[in-house]
Amino acid sequence: QVQLVETGGGLVQDGGSLKLSCAVSGVSEHTFSTYAMGWFRQAPGKEREFVATVSGSGRRTYYANSVKGRFTISRDNAKNTVYLQMNSLKPEDTAVYYCAADPLGIGDTTDYEYWGQGTRVTVSS
């Protein structure tokens, strides 16, 4: 059973930084390295939106325009973990952030099979 657990959320001031982690269990290191991984977020009263994705190898990444240049997605396949480094945070980045896994390795902006429970990020002005 594949499980994703996000950590690292919290309260930060406008302009601050946070690093989110997503630990994936229930799969081997080799299997994890074939999964594309993504981060999504859902702000209060809004639909969930794509944030970033990374390929299984970690060499290919793609970002939403709203976070490009401020957020960095990365992964450590030896630890079955994916990260989201968030810099220059803005109040509009306030949301619950979700980690997701795509076993097909495509890593687009919508189709992911496994999801975590989310971690809350609040950016105060």
Side-chain angles (χ1 to χ4, degrees):
Q1 181 178 354
V2 180
Q3 291 188 319
L4 286 68
V5 178
E6 303 97 334
T7 57
L11 174 65
V12 64
Q13 290 189 331
D14 190 355
S17 298
L18 278 176
K19 186 173 184 178
L20 306 182
S21 300
C22 172
V24 181
S25 61
V27 295
S28 68
E29 175 184 333
H30 172 72
T31 298
F32 176 72
S33 71
T34 68
Y35 286 11
M37 298 296 298
W39 284 97
F40 291 75
R41 68 186 182 185
Q42 187 166 19
K46 295 187 177 180
E47 293 187 353
R48 186 171 62 194
E49 65 175 0
F50 166 80
V51 175
T53 186
V54 60
S55 63
S57 67
R59 288 193 290 268
R60 180 173 56 87
T61 58
Y62 181 74
Y63 298 90
N65 286 336
S66 58
V67 306
K68 199 174 297 183
R70 300 187 298 122
F71 291 10
T72 302
I73 189 171
S74 62
R75 64 192 295 160
D76 184 340
N77 287 343
K79 296 182 178 180
N80 279 25
T81 300
V82 63
Y83 305 97
L84 186 68
Q85 176 67 48
M86 305 185 295
N87 299 328
S88 302
L89 282 161
K90 307 173 182 179
E92 51 263 44
D93 294 317
T94 295
V96 177
Y97 283 72
Y98 298 91
C99 173
D102 172 17
L104 297 179
I106 298 173
D108 62 15
T109 61
T110 55
D111 296 325
Y112 289 76
E113 183 170 346
Y114 303 110
W115 293 82
Q117 294 299 305
T119 185
R120 186 173 302 275
V121 172
T122 303
V123 184
S124 64
S125 57

